[in-house]
Amino acid sequence: GEGAVLDLARELLRRGLDVNAEAVERSTRASAGTFIFSGAIQHPRTSAAFKVSLLEMLRDAGLDLERPCQQGRETSTTGDTIATRVCGAACLTPSCQAALLACMFRAGWTPGTAKANQRIQALFDRPEGMDGADADYLRECVSAPPQGAAAATRVSAPVTGVVSSSATCTSDS
């Protein structure tokens, strides 16, 4: 189950898996951690807690959310790529998307591209499911853009994400 997959990930990281090593898939050049996480969010039957735990594990292993990433002709960062994929993953519920994005903001990441910012803002256009502590935190982060020194202190909460007990990562549709 999910615990075994997390144990395997821990073992690979313990053995030296470099989450920032460059990996290429078709026209995307990104970090290994980006591909690992992007693949994990596509599985509709895994829990929000599992997905947040995996993201935290990759971040704790040094996943650089500001690392440059190339998708076709578009250049962004690892964080923007992950956020865009979280926002576009049809199998994720709004509460799961909020939990994952809140986890990234708690780690100090902020959107660096208009595309990532627009995708996150669009989540709030859907009224269903964007509630709870993670959604409130996410709403707070995106409603007040960082300015100067405030940017460094605005997201100083611990990296550990809050996943509400009602958060699920599977869609009913």
Side-chain angles (χ1 to χ4, degrees):
E2 293 176 356
V5 173
L6 290 174
D7 287 344
L8 175 61
R10 274 188 210 90
E11 181 61 19
L12 291 171
L13 292 169
R14 188 188 67 72
R15 290 182 182 204
L17 173 69
D18 180 1
V19 295
N20 292 308
E22 186 174 281
V24 178
E25 178 188 322
R26 292 186 295 247
S27 65
T28 300
R29 183 178 305 278
S31 67
T34 302
F35 286 113
I36 290 167
F37 185 72
S38 295
I41 64 171
Q42 298 304 318
H43 294 281
R45 294 198 172 129
T46 55
S47 69
F50 167 80
K51 289 172 176 149
V52 170
S53 292
L54 180 61
L55 181 57
E56 289 175 339
M57 187 183 301
L58 293 169
R59 181 65 186 146
D60 290 348
L63 181 64
D64 181 3
L65 296 175
E66 299 303 323
R67 185 182 189 282
C69 178
Q70 185 80 31
Q71 292 182 292
R73 293 185 210 163
E74 185 178 316
T75 300
S76 65
T77 64
T78 294
D80 287 351
T81 299
I82 289 173
T84 300
R85 290 181 180 187
V86 164
C87 291
C91 67
L92 300 181
T93 62
S95 61
C96 183
Q97 290 168 319
L100 293 167
L101 293 167
C103 176
M104 293 173 63
F105 275 97
R106 285 183 180 99
W109 172 82
T110 56
T113 62
K115 180 179 180 179
N117 197 37
Q118 289 166 351
R119 291 270 177 99
I120 293 168
Q121 292 287 344
L123 293 177
F124 293 104
D125 294 338
R126 300 183 319 196
E128 75 286 344
M130 282 304 272
D131 53 10
D134 292 317
D136 292 344
Y137 180 76
L138 184 59
R139 196 174 281 111
E140 178 184 313
C141 289
V142 298
S143 67
Q147 298 176 7
T153 59
R154 185 173 63 83
V155 286
S156 60
V159 173
T160 303
V162 175
V163 179
S164 67
S165 59
S166 63
T168 60
C169 285
T170 55
S171 173
D172 291 335
S173 52

